[in-house]
Structures are given as structure tokens and as C-alpha cells.
Amino acid sequence: MKRALRQRAERRQLLTAEPDILEELRGLRARVPHLTGALAASVDGLVLAQDTAAVEPEGVAALTAAALGVALRLTEATARGDFRELLIRGDSGYVASYAAGSSAALTTLAGPRTNVGRLHLEARRSSARIGALVEGALTRMENA
């Protein structure tokens, strides 16, 4: 019971960071040509903020959490250190997920003509900012 109450309080506190996270997502989309969507999610699949049009954000957040779980296990099993990012290339473009601190992830959706190097450069910066925003929100909750 205590754990469930704590999780709800954490989720409420995380959502207070939504306007700042959304601003970061919009800035990322402005900086990366052919980026079609971006969302920030907690590691357990909660949408923190999203700037997507053609996808179901809750579904993408849940799949991001599942992919993170597999990626974390894979990096541990192969002794590659802490998870940083995951890139998936499909016929119609890219899905890339980046660690945003220890409590969140940034997932981007990009078209097939996207400069992947530019995507990585900008998304890494944005994920660091988002991670700081999420960690700040969690710290405020702990101090309250």
C-alpha cells in the first residue's frame, strides 16, 4: 500500500515537470529536420510529455519501457556498461530512445532522410536536459 501511494506521488510530481519537458521536446523537433515526433516517458512507461501526432503516445511509452528493459539486460549481459541509447531503423524511418537520467527516457521518431548523426547529437543533449528536469522533480518530492 505504501509503495502504491509513493508511486502515485512520484507520478504527480513528475507531471509537474511536463511544461519544461514539452518545451525541450518542441525545441528538439525544431533543431532536427525530419523529426516527426518525440516523447519523454518514465522508465515504467508513464508519458511525461509528448509532441507526436501520428502515434499513440501511451503505447509508445509502454513499448519504450519494454525496450529499455531488454536493452538494459543486453548491455549488462555483454558488459557494455550503462544503457545510453537504442536505434531502430525501419523502412519508413527511425525510432531512437535515449536514457534521460535514471528515471526517464526520450524516444524520437524520424523520417528516413534524417541525418542520424545530427539526431544523436541533439537528442543526447535533450535527454540530458530532460533527465535533469525529472531528477529535479523527484528531488523536490523527496524534500517536501
Side-chain angles (χ1 to χ4, degrees):
M1 181 64 143
K2 276 184 161 179
R3 184 175 181 201
L5 290 173
R6 180 170 169 77
Q7 285 176 333
R8 278 189 235 148
E10 283 179 356
R11 287 183 175 161
R12 268 195 313 276
Q13 191 63 35
L14 286 174
L15 291 176
T16 64
E18 180 181 9
D20 295 328
I21 295 171
L22 184 56
E23 183 178 329
E24 184 61 42
L25 296 179
R26 289 180 176 153
L28 175 61
R29 286 196 60 193
R31 293 187 307 271
V32 180
H34 309 291
L35 193 63
T36 60
L39 72 83
S42 66
V43 292
D44 62 351
L46 173 70
V47 176
L48 302 176
Q50 57 92 18
D51 187 18
T52 59
V55 298
E56 168 88 28
E58 289 81 11
V60 173
L63 289 169
T64 294
L68 284 176
V70 172
L72 287 168
R73 280 187 241 125
L74 186 58
T75 56
E76 286 174 5
T78 57
R80 299 297 153 204
D82 293 333
F83 168 78
R84 296 286 182 235
E85 57 198 47
L86 172 67
L87 177 69
I88 300 167
R89 180 177 176 214
D91 290 338
S92 299
Y94 299 90
V95 178
S97 292
Y98 302 85
S102 61
S103 301
L106 165 66
T107 295
T108 60
L109 310 172
R113 295 181 51 201
T114 300
N115 178 327
V116 176
R118 176 80 183 265
L119 172 64
H120 283 323
L121 177 71
E122 296 293 345
R124 287 171 184 155
R125 290 176 181 164
S126 288
S127 67
R129 289 184 197 115
I130 291 167
L133 290 167
V134 169
E135 295 301 323
L138 291 173
T139 300
R140 284 190 300 277
M141 186 203 76
E142 289 173 2
N143 293 334

